[in-house]
Amino acid sequence: MAERHYLNAPHRVTSGQVREALDRLEGLIVDGLKHGFFDYSIACEVANGGKRQLVIRAGKSHKFTIPENEVPR
């Protein structure tokens, strides 16, 4: 059995757009593993007011606008 390694995540995000994006990404990866193949891309850019525009492309685009105050520091 493979040994499991867990990272300590002191900046664990529990709510907001970042959490929604991470949950979506996790779901896409799990679905891809079930199907046996996948090809995803992730892009982010800074928009007006310090917001982050995050796009996950996985067959279709999943877009998230992350307010500056939700960006983990």
Side-chain angles (χ1 to χ4, degrees):
M1 178 180 276
E3 184 178 337
R4 294 182 181 183
H5 296 278
Y6 295 97
L7 295 175
N8 183 5
H11 301 289
R12 180 70 111 187
V13 178
T14 59
S15 64
Q17 286 290 294
V18 174
R19 182 76 261 155
E20 287 185 36
L22 292 171
D23 289 346
R24 177 64 54 98
L25 187 57
E26 180 181 28
L28 290 167
I29 291 171
V30 169
D31 287 347
L33 291 170
K34 287 179 183 177
H35 292 288
F37 58 90
F38 59 90
D39 183 22
Y40 304 146
S41 68
I42 303 169
C44 183
E45 62 183 46
V46 179
N48 292 339
K51 295 178 185 174
R52 284 10 180 221
Q53 298 290 335
L54 177 70
V55 179
I56 302 169
R57 292 179 186 86
K60 66 177 188 174
S61 292
H62 305 273
K63 298 178 183 180
F64 301 89
T65 300
I66 302 167
E68 186 174 19
N69 66 335
E70 286 187 25
V71 175
R73 303 280 175 206

